[in-house]
Amino acid sequence: LPSGLSQWFPALEVLDVSGTGLAEMGTELLSLPCLHTLLAKNNRLGGPGSLPKGLGQAPLARSLRVLNLSGNRFAEVPPALLQLRGLRSLSLGGNRLHGIPPDIQELRSLEFLYLGGNFITSIPPELAKLPSLRYLVLCDNKIQSIPPQLAQLHSLRSLSLHNNLLTYLPREILNLVHLEELSLRGNPLVVRFVRDLTYNPPSLQELAGRTVKTRNVPYAPSDLPENLVRYLSLASNCPNPKCGGVYFDSCVRQIKFVDFCGKYRLPLMHYLCSPECSSPFSSASQSSTSQSESDSEDEASVAAHRMQKVLLG
């Protein structure tokens, strides 16, 4: 960036240096107290010293609302960006990112996050701690699963996941009551595949924990070691209302197909406490195809009004 920038334009609010071959942004950027939009797309940023030192403590950290660094060479999200607490829009698409740092949760004002076109393989649960997030773009990556915690993004309106490696979605995705657009095309889940069922036999500790929980055995924190008390608090209820069982680490992992908008069948992840637990929600346990489809339609009738647009094609 040219020296003396803050002297020439002390009240500068929008700066676009996209496509200029920029390899680093100097400290003169820190002296722009009114800057709220910085566009630096399609440059050569990403190496050491690409961003000025002290970025998180500068006035810019409070004023900046929109930052677009797409089309650069970042291999990780720069820690300095996670100190820009006033950011509402962050774009890092088309870089070389392999992950999303858990500290992304510090950007509490973020409404738009674009991370498409990278090499991201997983989504940290901490991403769900962005209370204002409305648009999340994670397309064209290598993501294999969606953490159920994303259901806590109650402000989310659009979720773009196309062209990844997803084979199922967590059932909790149905809790995104304000979601209007879900993009899933180009994932293995769009084509038919063998329904998955895996089960690891429970340990003696889990069997004992299940007994304590299902039979309501009374206990107090003073009766057990702290780690066992914490373990017992992690029990999950079996979704079969006729079962009443619980599970800890060992459960049956199944795919349940659910109809959306009367047209699309989405594979959602479903958990049972044991293979013998016949759940009315599990299509794999149904005795007939018609019964399975009927259950899907019942579930879809609850969820259809929540999804106005499901993009699969």
Side-chain angles (χ1 to χ4, degrees), residues 107-144:
L107 301 180
R108 305 281 294 177
S109 300
L110 207 60
E111 299 177 5
F112 178 90
L113 179 59
Y114 190 103
L115 297 174
N118 282 286
F119 303 96
I120 298 170
T121 58
S122 63
I123 304 172
E126 288 82 2
L127 190 63
K129 298 181 180 180
L130 298 175
S132 303
L133 195 64
R134 294 169 58 88
Y135 300 93
L136 177 58
V137 182
L138 295 167
C139 60
D140 300 293
N141 278 287
K142 299 181 181 297
I143 299 169
Q144 300 183 41

Side-chain angles (χ1 to χ4, degrees), residues 218-226 228-229:
Y219 66 90
S222 58
D223 300 330
L224 299 171
E226 182 180 352
L228 291 181
V229 174

Side-chain angles (χ1 to χ4, degrees), residues 51-282:
L51 302 178
K53 293 182 179 180
L55 179 61
Q57 291 74 43
L60 185 64
R62 296 186 293 272
S63 65
L64 201 60
R65 297 291 181 266
V66 177
L67 177 60
N68 192 327
L69 295 173
S70 293
N72 280 283
R73 303 176 181 180
F74 290 101
E76 61 179 17
V77 178
L81 298 189
L82 304 178
Q83 299 178 19
L84 304 178
R85 305 299 169 81
L87 271 186
R88 296 177 184 171
S89 175
L90 174 60
S91 299
L92 280 164
N95 276 275
R96 303 171 182 177
L97 305 179
H98 284 79
I100 305 173
D103 286 344
I104 194 77
Q105 64 181 313
E106 301 298 330
L107 301 180
R108 305 281 294 177
S109 300
L110 207 60
E111 299 177 5
F112 178 90
L113 179 59
Y114 190 103
L115 297 174
N118 282 286
F119 303 96
I120 298 170
T121 58
S122 63
I123 304 172
E126 288 82 2
L127 190 63
K129 298 181 180 180
L130 298 175
S132 303
L133 195 64
R134 294 169 58 88
Y135 300 93
L136 177 58
V137 182
L138 295 167
C139 60
D140 300 293
N141 278 287
K142 299 181 181 297
I143 299 169
Q144 300 183 41
S145 63
I146 303 299
Q149 289 87 349
L150 284 195
Q152 301 169 19
L153 291 172
H154 301 301
S155 297
L156 202 62
R157 298 293 188 273
S158 177
L159 177 58
S160 296
L161 293 166
H162 53 270
N163 299 331
N164 276 285
L165 301 176
L166 298 171
T167 56
Y168 66 89
L169 296 175
R171 291 180 55 86
E172 289 82 358
I173 203 80
L174 299 178
N175 295 329
L176 294 173
V177 296
H178 299 298
L179 197 64
E180 299 171 355
E181 181 176 292
L182 175 61
S183 178
L184 294 167
R185 64 184 183 275
N187 280 282
L189 61 76
V190 178
V191 298
R192 297 191 63 85
F193 60 94
V194 178
R195 294 173 181 172
D196 189 18
L197 188 153
T198 59
Y199 183 66
N200 294 320
S203 63
L204 291 177
Q205 177 176 277
E206 173 146 351
L207 290 174
R210 290 187 180 194
T211 300
V212 170
K213 285 294 186 179
T214 56
R215 298 187 179 182
N216 294 317
V217 177
Y219 66 90
S222 58
D223 300 330
L224 299 171
E226 182 180 352
N227 64 314
L228 291 181
V229 174
R230 184 168 56 252
Y231 179 80
L232 289 171
S233 69
L234 299 176
S236 298
N237 294 321
C238 183
N240 183 359
K242 297 181 180 179
C243 170
V246 300
Y247 63 87
F248 293 87
D249 303 311
S250 178
C251 60
V252 177
R253 177 175 175 267
Q254 287 184 328
I255 299 295
K256 165 65 197 285
F257 285 84
V258 176
D259 291 342
F260 276 89
C261 305
K263 183 177 181 181
Y264 303 113
R265 291 177 65 78
L266 300 184
L268 304 182
M269 184 53 71
H270 182 61
Y271 300 95
L272 301 172
C273 66
S274 74
E276 292 75 27
C277 184
S278 177
S279 167
F281 301 118
S282 174

